[in-house]
Each structure stands twice: as C-alpha cells, then as structure tokens.
Amino acid sequence: MRHPTRLLLIALLSFFSFASTAQEISFTEYDLSNGLHVILHKDDKAPVVAVNVYYHVGAKNEDTSRTGFAHFFEHLLFEGSDNIKRGEFSKYVTSNGGRDNATTNSDRTLYYEEFPSNQLKMALWLESERMLHPVINELGVSTQNEVVKEERRMRYDNTPYGQLVEQVYKRLFTKHPYRWMTIGSMAHLDAASLDEFKAFFKKYYVPNNAVLSIAGDLNIDSTKELIKAYFGEIPAGPKVEEPKITEEPITREIVDTAYDNNIQIPAIVAAYRTPGVANKESLSLSMLTSYLSGGQSSVLYKKMVDEKKNALQVGTFNDTKEDYSAYITFALPNGNTPLTELLNDIDAEVARTQQELISESDYQKLLNNVENDYVSANSRMLTVAGNLAENYVEFGNTARINDILKEYRSVTREDIRDVAKKYLQKNQRVVLYYLPVPEKNNDSKN
C-alpha cells in the first residue's frame, strides 16, 4: 500500500502552484492591433524555444451552473482545427521534436509548446489554429467529457485525500467562484449544450484576452514578422470583464467534518482566507510558510515529526490566487494521536510567530532559499515564458520578473510577524476534520 502521507502530499501539491522567482532577463513586449499582448525573450544558450499562450480565463469566469468549462477547454482545444485533423494536434509537436501540454487554474488557462528553435514557425501555426478556428462539435465535446470524468475519478473521487482541498474551499468561500474546484461539476458539463461551449470559446479565447510569450533561441525581428503573419488577422472579441465578487470577512471559527472513503488515516486542516497574489503581504505569507514547514529543518516538522513524533506529516501552503489566497495548515496523526493535539501544536507555533520575531539566522535561511530559487527557477525557457506572461497579467508589470528577489529581500522579520498576527487568527479560519468513512456502528470522532 502506498504511504498515506505521500498520498496526501501528492493530492495537495496537485492543486498548488509554487510562486517561482526569475533570473534577470531582458524582454521585448508590444501589442498587436487585435489586442494580443506579445512578450519576447532572446536566449541563445541552447537551441530551444518555448511558446506560451496565456488566456486570462479560469474557473473564476464560469457560471455557477456551468462549472468546469475552463478546464474542459484545456482538453477540448486539442481536438483539432479547420486545418488540423482530429487527434493530430500533438502529433505535429512530437513528430517535430517538441512537447506540449496545458494547465488550468482558477484564474487562467495556459497552453505551451517547447521545440527545437528551428520549429518556432510550427509552434506559432499550431497556437494560431487553436485560437482562430478550432473544431468544436458534438463528437469532440462527448469525447473530452469522458476524459474529464475519468480525470475526476482518478484525481479526486478515487484518490486518498483527493477531495480534501475541495472540501476546504467550499467552506472557506461562500460567494466567490474559488469555492469550486477547477475541474468543476460533471453534471454541469453533461447538461451543457454545444452552443454554450461555443459561446464560452467566443467570449474568452480571443487575442485581446491572451498573452503570447516566447523565450529561447530566436531572432526578435523575424519572430515579430511570424507573429504578425499568424496572429495579426485574428479578430478581437468584446472586452472581457473580470468578475468582482467580495467575500464577507470570516469573524468566527468554522469547524466542520468531511469524510473520505479512500483513506484510513485522518487529517486535520486549518485554512485562512488571505490577500490576492499581487498584495505585497503575499510574499510575507510565503516566507512564513517556508519558516513553518519548509523541509525537515522547519519548526513544525522538527517539533511534531522528529521530537514529539505525534505527526506522520505536517505542512502549510500559501495557495495564491488573483482575488484571494488561502493559507492552509494540515497534519496527519502518528498512531492514535488526537487531531486536536496536532491542531494545538500547529497553533502554538503560529502563535509564537505572532508574538516573537523569527531569529536572524532563520530569516537569513529564508532569504538564502529565495535566492536559490531565484537562480534556478528560470533555468528553462518554458518557465521564463510562463513567468513573463504571469507577471504581465497578475501584476500588470512584466518587468517584475527582474524585481522579485528585491521584493522578497524587502520583507522584514516584522512583516512576517505582522501577517501571522493579521491573517492567522482562530476566529478567521475554517477547521476541517477530514476523516475515514466510519465503520458500521462506529461513529466515534478522533
């Protein structure tokens, strides 16, 4: 049997994207007349090029009765186009020495290719085909519906701890679309008409709602010409208005229980609603996460796993999103340790950070970790392309890719203490007891 702590970590990590830093890079950016924002970075150290198309559409943009559309389109737009036969999209990539994929989260959908640099033209053609005239028909919708259902079963419904984050978010948010997972509702997808899928595409997958970022071994001038040739004639769509939904503050601790028939070991979770990723305090919260649970030398791991041995695993995540973020702490018990004991131990260390400054040596260790990430995060052109687009969309400042390290260095020990005090209060959180389904005639709670 796979180890339950590893299963929980895998399940959690599938939801969370690490906010990576970037090395000093130069770039060129401009807009086409149809509103497509273009960012180019030249790096000829290796003969590779990464092409990234970032659509500013995610689960946040969905209707409450049609959740899962953005993730569905992550799959659907590989079906083919007027000039690409069904099922042939990725074959063009692999047969020319490249690789491709896509990801979706609450705020954006990302498609990318990584090719030998002499195949840049191929990558641009493929993405222009995806944007200009994909084939959206009943066959493709039916096929991808089954693919998404299988993904739901594998990643969520039949995986240990697979529904943990979903259960947390539906309690942490009551109005905002962050309350549902990116994969959405299978019933909503089943009920949707073909016209609804076409309307969703027409509204969001347009050049004025997209960023094309390219990094690697390229010639800037000739790349501009290729981009104009492949994307310049694609018509703009109506301006996309981002939803603006405000949650009322949480003013009392919300305690609840959820059950998972795929687990044998329970978990305890405490989740706090925190500011969106563009808020400077988000960096302080990320550093707090590293201090509390960043590796086996972190305070929670040493205290609960090494010393007290009352936890099999303990961790924190700062899950950053555009409008709000979520700061999540969790632990799995070792043996019969009560879940309340684990929660109390986590709370004690959180309280310590609220009352005392972390040590200078711990602070320096955090900065060292940030600097290591700064050096390594953009070693691949694919990461550079993604970070360029992300900084443009989420922060409104592409040049931030070169200022991230300075921003982290500006976070003080006092800032770390203050965000813990401001956001990690007991009356502002959701506490979830995530338990195995009780055996018959056994309704006891750990």
Side-chain angles (χ1 to χ4, degrees), residues 341-406:
E341 179 182 324
L342 301 181
L343 182 61
N344 289 339
D345 280 350
I346 295 173
D347 286 346
E349 293 306 319
V350 169
R352 194 187 308 278
T353 65
Q354 293 170 334
Q355 298 158 10
E356 305 171 6
L357 297 180
I358 66 174
S359 70
E360 284 283 3
S361 61
D362 283 332
Y363 175 70
Q364 190 57 53
K365 177 183 172 184
L366 295 180
L367 289 180
N368 291 342
N369 290 338
V370 168
E371 291 178 5
N372 288 336
D373 292 334
Y374 184 88
V375 170
S376 64
N378 290 303
S379 59
R380 291 181 53 205
M381 290 302 98
L382 192 60
T383 312
V384 173
N387 283 342
L388 286 165
E390 181 180 279
N391 279 285
Y392 174 76
V393 175
E394 294 187 0
F395 297 87
N397 178 19
T398 312
R400 181 181 176 272
I401 197 170
N402 293 320
D403 296 330
I404 298 172
L405 181 57
K406 182 168 63 176

Side-chain angles (χ1 to χ4, degrees), residues 299-312 333-335 337-338 340-346 348-349:
V299 293
L300 287 176
Y301 193 95
K302 287 194 296 185
K303 174 181 179 178
M304 299 172 65
V305 179
D306 287 346
E307 296 171 9
K308 295 187 69 174
K309 294 182 171 55
N310 61 353
L312 290 174
N334 188 12
T337 303
T340 51
E341 179 182 324
L342 301 181
L343 182 61
N344 289 339
D345 280 350
I346 295 173
E349 293 306 319

Side-chain angles (χ1 to χ4, degrees), residues 132-146:
L132 181 58
H133 40 218
V135 172
I136 301 174
N137 57 25
E138 292 286 3
L139 176 60
V141 167
S142 176
T143 300
Q144 295 306 323
N145 201 358
E146 292 306 311

Side-chain angles (χ1 to χ4, degrees), residues 54-71 73 104-109 175-182 196 199-201 203-205 209 238-245 322-323 393:
Y54 185 120
Y55 291 96
H56 199 189
V57 55
K60 178 175 65 179
N61 302 94
E62 296 162 352
D63 186 275
T64 56
S65 65
R66 289 294 182 265
T67 63
F69 264 44
H71 172 260
F73 268 89
T104 312
N105 64 25
S106 298
D107 302 304
R108 60 97 181 113
T109 302
K175 298 178 182 178
H176 198 282
Y178 291 162
R179 68 184 185 272
W180 61 79
M181 292 293 97
T182 303
E196 287 178 292
F200 193 82
F201 174 83
K203 181 175 182 179
Y204 292 109
Y205 298 84
N209 196 45
K239 182 180 179 181
V240 174
E241 298 291 341
E242 286 294 304
K244 298 186 183 301
I245 301 172
E322 283 188 351
D323 297 344
V393 175

